[in-house]
Amino acid sequence: MRVSALRSAGAAGLAATALLAVTTPAGAATTGPGDGSAYGASATVSLLPGVLGAPGLTVDTGRLASSSTGGPTSASVVDAPLKGLVTAKAITSSAKHDSTSGEVAATAAIVDAALPVLAPLAGRTPTARVISARCAGTADGVTGSSELAGLDLGRLGSLPVGTGPNRELGVPGVVRVIVNEQVRHADGSLTVNALHIKLLGGAVTGALGNGDVVLASATCGKATTPRGETSTPTPAPTQAPPAGAASGGGQVRVIPVGAPQTGDGSLATDR
């Protein structure tokens, strides 16, 4: 994990540091048939002085609890603090390719998460009991979905129980919070990010900085047949649909704050 203090001597230093925070789109790497990967969390950001009480920080955590079909096929991290940006009791992921059916599956989950980085805008520290993403590549195509249990974003807004992919909340010019982000790649693979926070580094009062925080990400390639051939996928666009579009299913399951647990240990929700 790399953490370095920003020089606060003038706008030139801040601008130079902001360039370090430019990242490639999550899940942009080529994913072939039968391939899958997942990770629990990542952060690559440059915070402005005063955010989280810091003099200014550049943070690059890498991908925490990362797994892939090529191994390791599962990973976990407990009590993970992402340098004060995000905290979590547990982060897990898994990715598997079934050589018999040819199907691919990948999942990532975060339990008991808090997002101090958004507290200045949300009015309090946003929290969630569970943040998870999953995807699957089958003979019918590649699909994905997310689940958010007990998500509380404060003043940033709330989500209905059922909502489609790429739903956005936030403050224009300051921060974008993308829920159930789904990105279709040119190779036919799909990346699902349960929560993607984009710090826009705007000049307006309350700007936080530049960069990206991704929570629960899963990427699946096309399925293969038992002979290793590519199955016929459902045609899909090669880029993410516009914000708020509910293209191709993949709903996010939003379980309200305070929803009781059911007898089997799962969380109840309105339907």
Side-chain angles (χ1 to χ4, degrees):
M1 184 177 293
R2 175 175 60 86
V3 181
S4 58
L6 296 182
R7 295 179 180 176
S8 58
L14 289 175
T17 306
L19 292 176
L20 297 176
V22 177
T23 60
T24 55
T30 300
T31 302
D35 291 342
S37 62
Y39 62 91
S42 72
T44 306
V45 302
S46 291
L47 295 180
L48 299 177
V51 177
L52 301 181
L57 294 173
T58 293
V59 180
D60 186 351
T61 67
R63 295 180 172 182
L64 302 183
S66 179
S67 60
S68 73
T69 50
T73 57
S74 64
S76 64
V77 175
V78 296
D79 297 325
L82 280 75
K83 289 301 174 182
L85 303 172
V86 180
T87 62
K89 182 176 181 180
I91 301 176
T92 60
S93 76
S94 67
K96 297 180 180 180
H97 173 228
D98 189 322
S99 59
T100 301
S101 67
E103 296 181 353
V104 181
T107 63
I110 299 176
V111 177
D112 291 339
L115 289 76
V117 68
L118 294 180
L121 297 175
R124 58 180 178 271
T125 299
T127 57
R129 288 196 302 268
V130 178
I131 300 172
S132 67
R134 66 181 64 248
C135 61
T138 69
D140 295 325
V142 185
T143 58
S145 62
S146 301
E147 181 172 307
L148 302 170
L151 180 66
D152 181 358
L153 292 174
R155 290 196 303 250
L156 290 175
S158 59
L159 294 163
V161 171
T163 188
N166 304 296
R167 179 67 178 263
E168 289 195 19
L169 303 171
V171 178
V174 178
V175 63
R176 292 170 60 200
V177 179
I178 308 170
V179 180
N180 194 25
E181 182 179 45
Q182 300 201 13
V183 182
R184 296 276 182 181
H185 304 292
D187 58 17
S189 62
L190 172 69
T191 293
V192 181
N193 298 318
L195 210 60
H196 186 176
I197 301 165
K198 288 179 170 284
L199 305 183
L200 306 178
V204 301
T205 300
L208 302 177
N210 290 79
D212 290 83
V213 178
V214 176
L215 303 180
S217 178
T219 298
C220 289
K222 302 173 183 178
T224 59
T225 68
R227 296 185 300 278
E229 299 173 354
T230 305
S231 62
T232 303
T234 302
T238 57
Q239 61 183 10
S247 171
Q251 298 289 310
V252 58
R253 183 172 179 241
V254 179
I255 301 174
V257 176
Q261 289 190 338
T262 63
D264 62 1
S266 63
L267 293 167
T269 181
D270 297 331
R271 297 238 179 225

